[in-house]
Amino acid sequence: MSIDLAKIHSVIFSGGGSRCLWQAGFWQVLKKTGRFEPTIIGSTSAGTTMACMLLAGKTGEALSYFKEETSKNKKNAYFSNIFNSKPVFPHYRIYRQAIMEVFDEQALKRLRTGPEIRVMIARPPRWLGARSGSFIGIALYSIEKLIKYPVHPTFGIKFGYRPLVVRVSECKTVEDLADLLLQASCTPPFVPVLYRGGRPALDGGLIDNVPVSLADESAGMNLVLLSRQYPTEILPIVPNRLYVQPSRPVSISKWDYTSPEGLQEAYDFGLDDGEKFLKNSSVKADRIRTA
């Protein structure tokens, strides 16, 4: 198969928490070819943070910061905090603090003037409360993955969950960006229930963790960056859509905030798979430039 990177118009970043660093490494390799200039980015959950990190030119800084913070965090759950006012799960604090520390006004300017980043957030049915909507949405997603293991789940939509699409260019401040990235990753109890426009805003993965509906497939090829490994035979075959996935399972779990080594390994794994992709796919590309 021969792939012309210059014809890739849209890129989809799936969710997957810490595993999404594989996507960042993979993207960096393609970017160095000088031929990879997508126009539309579709994303949800942690894939949105990866997309923003990459397009703002903050990859190295963000990875270093997150590794430093996770090296100081010893547990993913502090159950003794049930008896005091401190949070049981440290994820929200670390996640938001990382965004606020790494992104700045210059980064926001790059995000506004670069490729359009479309973000999927899930809205629960109006007849559900915020917490019940979170619980039922996560349950539906988990049950469908257990029964069918689809690339694109459908239970959430059938039950009444609806997508809200927000563009990163709408963010006027770093605080706005942090709000959006956390809303797109809102998966209680790791992240508390969040609201946008007065209504619950949940992880878009409750609708589709691989939000291909955000792409503009009529304008060119759509590259889909997964964060987990699926059986090859269940990957959809769609004209002008190419799914790429890790060549083996990414070792770090999506909500593991205790392993800086695991974060680096996921990123390095993406670099390695990206190099193999270029080599094995006979990609038409300019000479790969060094960083």
Side-chain angles (χ1 to χ4, degrees):
M1 176 177 60
S2 182
I3 301 167
D4 188 349
L5 293 181
K7 292 183 178 180
I8 295 177
H9 180 266
S10 303
V11 177
I12 298 298
F13 283 77
S14 71
S18 297
R19 297 194 310 258
C20 289
L21 278 164
W22 178 90
Q23 300 168 333
F26 194 95
W27 170 287
Q28 294 286 58
V29 173
L30 300 194
K31 193 66 177 175
K32 289 177 184 178
T33 64
R35 299 271 294 169
F36 182 59
E37 298 291 342
T39 302
I40 301 295
I41 307 298
S43 62
T44 193
S45 197
T48 300
T49 302
M50 294 301 113
C52 291
M53 178 183 77
L54 290 160
L55 292 171
K58 293 290 186 177
T59 307
E61 185 179 344
L63 180 56
S64 295
Y65 183 88
F66 216 75
K67 285 169 59 180
E68 180 180 353
E69 289 303 305
T70 54
S71 70
K72 295 183 288 188
N73 180 53
K74 304 305 179 185
K75 300 178 182 180
N76 285 309
Y78 295 84
F79 291 111
S80 61
N81 287 345
I82 292 174
F83 304 104
N84 58 49
S85 60
K86 296 179 181 179
V88 173
F89 299 97
H91 303 78
Y92 178 79
R93 175 188 61 80
I94 294 173
Y95 202 156
R96 187 177 184 91
Q97 183 176 305
I99 296 166
M100 297 300 298
E101 289 290 336
V102 171
F103 290 89
D104 52 23
E105 291 301 320
Q106 189 62 35
L108 278 180
K109 183 178 180 180
R110 293 193 191 103
L111 294 177
R112 292 193 196 101
T113 58
E116 180 180 295
I117 306 176
R118 302 169 179 174
V119 183
M120 180 184 285
I121 293 171
R123 293 286 206 198
R126 287 186 177 273
W127 49 272
L128 285 177
R131 287 177 173 76
S132 60
S134 303
F135 176 79
I136 292 174
I138 294 168
L140 289 170
Y141 177 85
S142 301
I143 291 169
E144 187 170 11
K145 283 291 184 184
L146 182 64
I147 295 173
K148 301 171 62 178
Y149 202 67
V151 177
H152 301 289
T154 61
F155 282 11
I157 285 288
K158 290 177 179 177
F159 198 81
Y161 288 76
R162 292 293 179 262
L164 171 67
V165 180
V166 182
R167 287 163 176 77
V168 168
S169 59
E170 297 175 24
C171 297
K172 293 180 172 57
T173 65
V174 177
E175 287 83 1
D176 290 343
L177 179 64
D179 289 343
L180 177 58
L181 298 186
L182 268 299
Q183 289 160 2
S185 295
C186 182
T187 310
F190 301 106
V191 174
V193 175
L194 301 176
Y195 295 83
R196 189 175 189 90
R199 291 191 59 202
L202 302 174
D203 192 313
L206 299 183
I207 292 175
D208 189 351
N209 199 45
V210 188
V212 293
S213 62
L214 301 183
D216 185 359
E217 294 187 319
S218 65
M221 180 175 287
N222 174 19
L223 177 66
V224 182
L225 299 178
L226 302 173
S227 65
R228 65 194 302 173
Q229 191 180 53
Y230 293 85
T232 304
E233 62 271 16
I234 74 168
L235 294 177
I237 300 176
V238 180
N240 287 330
R241 187 189 301 171
L242 175 64
Y243 291 83
V244 294
Q245 63 180 350
S247 57
R248 57 174 170 76
V250 180
S251 60
I252 193 169
S253 64
K254 59 183 178 180
W255 285 111
D256 186 354
Y257 277 29
T258 65
S259 176
E261 299 83 5
L263 298 175
Q264 185 67 54
E265 192 276 339
Y267 178 75
D268 291 343
F269 181 23
L271 293 174
D272 185 57
D273 272 355
E275 296 287 359
K276 291 176 181 176
F277 175 80
L278 291 185
K279 179 179 179 180
N280 297 335
S281 300
S282 300
V283 175
K284 298 175 183 177
D286 295 337
R287 180 173 61 86
I288 297 179
R289 300 196 299 261
T290 56

